[in-house]
Amino acid sequence: MFQTVTLPLWALILILGFAAVTFASHFLFPSVRWFFRRRMERAVAKLNNRLQRPIEPFKIMRRQDQVTRLIYDPQVMEAVRDYAREEGVPPNVAFEKARSYAREIVPGFSTATYFGFAIKLAQRLSQGLYHVRIGGADSPGLQQIDSRAAVVFVMNHRSNMDYVLITWLASKHSALSYAVGEWARVWPLKALIRAMGAYFIRRRYSNPLYRAILARYVQMSVQQGTTQAIFPEGGLSLTGTVGDARKGLLHYIVRGFKLHEEQDVVFVPVALNYDRILEDRVLISAGLQGIRRFPVRMKVVLGFTLRIIWQKLRGRFTPFGYAAVCYGAPLSLREFMTHEPDASTETLAEQLMQRIRSAVPVLPVTFVAAALVRCGGSCSRAELAEECDRLRAELHKRKAWLHLPQEPEKDHVALGLASLRLRGIINVESEQITTTPGEEPVLGFYAASTLQRCDAQAGIATDRGHTLQDPDTH
């Protein structure tokens, strides 16, 4: 028993390695995880004191625990049995398929990543590229939302900057959980987005089992009070207008809602607009071709980014105009289903999209582009001024959100014309303004949001003014 045993060096190293791994996995790692878990819980508790809507425990639950809870949900287990029966595969194979879908969907929210890195980065990007304005956030309806209600922000989708802008502006309210398409499932973006609490959804190649798991995840997160942010259009606008809604996620939320339970679900319409959309020509080209493929080359993106950085370093960068976010009138799902018990998800979706359209802010470029389109794309300065006066009066009548600076040094017509001229969309010669040949689709793209606002139904009940604020003074 006490005899000396001779071992080769490689065997000794292997034994010591196994012993170290066993010690770490059974004693060291649990202690380290407990230490950091306690620190995170204290940080979240401190953070919740300044958030209007505290971070719910469901959101900071360990990712593996969320996956386990999801796949063992009774409705998911029933979907697994149905899948096994319909596909003719063993139940354990179907269960492993469900587990892989759950791992694909469930995020791994990191408080440090979201509030320590993402918010600051979003703020720097937003304010570095645009003059940011916010409107409607003081609406009594928004302030009076029951603290126990689950909040779902429903937004129009103008640009990939939407994620950045709304993440920063909503950081005073709560941490948002996004539904993100398959485009973001690339390294290293995938890990970052998942750490920010976003979940990936397949728009193609899905099956009933996948949709059942996605539906239960959305329903469970809403029932636990996680603040959601969804783009009902399902993709970026190719025309510049607010399109129709895809009912998938809305249908999941409505189907999981219990009318007589204490918790309500409140939809908050959010409308975004920009004086310049970074990917505008890519979207316009896709719209003209009738496709939803955006062949963005990384070489072009990298070159564009480096050019902006170089201009900033030299102090020659000119911001891309204004970016604005406006909140519309909230809609309570309980009130909707009580007053319209026979209404469908389509009716709900249309009401939400109408509220978004009614909240879309009007900015200098979109305003001037709309006036030019109404003038036929070519006019004198005097004719443009007259059309701008008529358009402004019409927008005021419809209670549109206007961010049109009136100061002499910031005349909104001059700002809009300068931006369009700088990008080569229009030509200005003396007193005559004309659209550059071939740029008519671009001018129409920017005009569309304002022209749609003029055509939208009036009378949406809101308690709001008609100006936008700088977010730093809000």
Side-chain angles (χ1 to χ4, degrees):
M1 179 175 179
F2 297 100
Q3 294 177 344
T4 302
V5 177
T6 304
L7 290 174
L9 180 61
W10 65 266
L12 178 63
I13 293 174
L14 193 62
I15 293 172
L16 291 176
F18 279 122
V21 170
T22 302
F23 173 78
S25 61
H26 285 78
F27 299 99
L28 183 60
F29 290 166
S31 300
V32 171
R33 284 197 298 266
W34 176 85
F35 173 75
F36 283 108
R37 184 74 181 178
R38 292 289 297 171
R39 288 193 62 181
M40 184 193 70
E41 289 174 352
R42 287 195 295 267
V44 169
K46 184 177 180 181
L47 186 63
N48 282 341
N49 291 329
R50 69 176 179 84
L51 293 177
Q52 293 183 17
R53 309 196 66 82
I55 301 172
E56 298 294 335
F58 176 80
K59 197 171 184 65
I60 58 175
M61 184 188 298
R62 288 178 55 202
R63 182 169 179 267
Q64 185 55 45
D65 294 339
Q66 290 190 49
V67 171
T68 302
R69 181 183 180 189
L70 179 60
I71 59 177
Y72 284 102
D73 180 85
Q75 294 185 36
V76 172
M77 294 303 294
E78 182 179 352
V80 169
R81 289 191 293 269
D82 292 341
Y83 179 83
R85 183 173 60 254
E86 293 170 4
E87 298 295 325
V89 298
N92 62 318
V93 174
F95 183 78
E96 286 304 315
K97 176 70 73 173
R99 188 194 299 273
S100 68
Y101 287 154
R103 287 174 175 168
E104 179 182 311
I105 293 169
V106 173
F109 178 74
S110 168
T111 308
T113 301
Y114 191 93
F115 287 98
F117 169 73
I119 298 300
K120 293 179 181 178
L121 178 62
Q123 181 178 0
R124 287 183 177 274
L125 282 175
S126 300
Q127 293 184 318
L129 298 177
Y130 297 96
H131 302 298
V132 181
R133 298 295 182 267
I134 186 170
D138 290 324
S139 166
L142 189 61
Q143 298 295 325
Q144 293 172 7
I145 294 176
D146 189 341
S147 60
R148 296 169 296 180
V151 173
V152 180
F153 289 93
V154 286
M155 304 176 288
N156 65 320
H157 206 357
R158 291 286 279 161
S159 167
N160 285 309
M161 272 297 296
D162 296 346
Y163 296 99
V164 178
L165 193 59
I166 200 66
T167 295
W168 166 43
L169 293 179
S171 61
K172 296 179 181 178
H173 299 278
S174 183
L176 298 181
S177 179
Y178 285 102
V180 181
E182 294 170 291
W183 63 269
R185 293 179 60 194
V186 295
W187 186 91
L189 198 57
K190 178 179 178 180
L192 176 62
I193 289 178
R194 180 165 279 161
M196 290 175 61
Y199 57 96
F200 299 99
I201 57 174
R202 296 186 181 188
R203 303 197 187 279
R204 298 176 295 172
Y205 315 121
S206 63
N207 55 49
L209 177 60
Y210 174 84
R211 291 192 291 272
I213 296 171
L214 175 62
R216 280 306 294 153
Y217 173 75
V218 172
Q219 291 164 0
M220 289 167 64
S221 59
V222 169
Q223 289 165 3
Q224 293 294 326
T226 302
T227 303
Q228 303 282 321
I230 63 176
F231 298 96
E233 294 169 281
L236 292 167
S237 172
L238 305 183
T239 62
T241 60
V242 179
D244 296 327
R246 295 185 180 182
K247 275 75 70 176
L249 294 179
L250 286 175
H251 181 66
Y252 296 155
I253 294 171
V254 173
R255 196 174 65 189
F257 179 69
K258 302 296 187 294
L259 182 61
H260 301 293
E261 288 188 357
E262 185 177 7
Q263 186 192 50
D264 192 8
V265 176
V266 178
F267 296 99
V268 178
V270 181
L272 305 99
N273 211 355
Y274 304 85
D275 268 337
R276 179 178 176 182
I277 294 172
L278 302 181
E279 58 273 74
D280 52 6
R281 297 184 187 275
V282 174
L283 300 176
I284 293 166
S285 176
L288 293 174
Q289 298 177 53
I291 60 175
R292 274 207 165 270
R293 294 180 182 177
F294 311 118
V296 180
R297 291 174 295 177
M298 289 305 299
K299 182 180 178 181
V300 175
V301 175
L302 183 60
F304 179 77
T305 304
L306 292 176
R307 185 165 62 252
I308 290 177
I309 294 174
W310 178 244
Q311 290 174 352
K312 279 186 169 292
L313 290 175
R314 298 177 65 190
R316 296 185 178 181
F317 176 74
T318 302
F320 298 143
Y322 291 96
V325 177
C326 289
Y327 295 90
L331 188 152
S332 163
L333 184 55
R334 174 175 288 120
E335 291 181 7
F336 174 81
M337 296 184 69
T338 301
H339 296 153
E340 301 185 48
D342 298 325
S344 62
T345 305
E346 286 76 9
T347 305
L348 171 65
E350 183 51 39
Q351 285 199 24
L352 291 173
M353 299 311 293
Q354 185 58 44
R355 295 190 184 204
I356 293 174
R357 295 184 189 107
S358 298
V360 172
V362 178
L363 305 178
V365 169
T366 65
F367 178 79
V368 172
L372 277 171
V373 168
R374 283 192 167 186
C375 289
S378 177
C379 61
S380 66
R381 286 183 180 272
E383 291 171 336
L384 178 63
E386 292 177 1
E387 185 58 45
C388 285
D389 290 339
R390 286 192 291 267
L391 182 58
R392 189 184 304 106
E394 186 175 347
L395 290 168
H396 272 296
K397 183 179 178 180
R398 293 186 177 276
K399 299 183 178 180
W401 288 104
L402 303 179
H403 180 68
L404 304 175
Q406 301 297 325
E407 300 89 342
E409 69 276 9
K410 289 186 177 180
D411 177 66
H412 58 275
V413 177
L415 287 174
L417 286 174
S419 180
L420 293 171
R421 185 181 185 181
L422 180 64
R423 300 193 60 204
I425 299 172
I426 62 171
N427 292 313
V428 180
E429 297 180 2
S430 185
E431 294 299 311
Q432 192 66 23
I433 304 166
T434 58
T435 305
T436 304
E439 296 294 322
E440 294 84 0
V442 183
L443 184 67
F445 179 81
Y446 281 98
S449 61
T450 298
L451 295 178
Q452 185 183 40
R453 183 65 186 90
C454 292
D455 296 335
Q457 286 185 340
I460 298 295
T462 55
D463 296 313
R464 65 191 190 192
H466 304 288
T467 58
L468 298 179
Q469 304 173 11
D470 189 301
D472 294 334
T473 62
H474 168 64

